Amino acid sequence: MTEQINPGAAAYHYEQLAKILEGKIRSGEFPAGSRLPGELILSQEYGVGSNTVRRALNILRERELVVTVRARGSFVAEQLPEAGD
């Protein structure tokens, strides 16, 4: 079952989504080098807008978990930094 965004939580939706996606990356559900689902799919799956998905992906890029290639999508980094770095 897909984890859901909690609309009543103190954390912003994009922060919640980034945490969910990071968990899936670190657990191996999205293995190194794999392509993440597109913005539209993530938006529909989690019931959030495309701006929320973009902000979540920005967080993952800042944490060096994801690399985005223009016109190709976002991919899990080959080498993941330690959790909490």
Side-chain angles (χ1 to χ4, degrees):
M1 184 175 151
T2 301
E3 291 181 65
Q4 295 297 310
I5 302 295
N6 179 354
Y12 290 111
H13 292 175
Y14 65 89
E15 291 171 336
Q16 293 179 54
L17 180 57
K19 183 176 180 180
I20 290 168
L21 294 175
E22 180 173 354
K24 290 183 175 201
I25 290 168
R26 294 203 178 274
S27 73
E29 188 172 335
F30 294 135
S34 68
R35 185 178 184 278
L36 294 178
E39 285 182 14
L40 180 61
I41 292 170
L42 290 172
S43 178
Q44 292 172 343
E45 187 171 335
Y46 292 98
V48 296
S50 57
N51 284 337
T52 299
V53 173
R54 280 188 214 110
R55 289 182 81 173
L57 291 174
N58 282 338
I59 290 171
L60 297 177
R61 275 192 293 277
E62 288 170 5
R63 294 179 184 166
E64 299 178 354
L65 295 169
V66 169
V67 175
T68 300
V69 179
R70 186 172 174 91
R72 291 205 50 224
S74 295
F75 298 84
V76 177
E78 292 293 338
Q79 294 290 318
L80 297 179
E82 294 295 319
D85 283 357

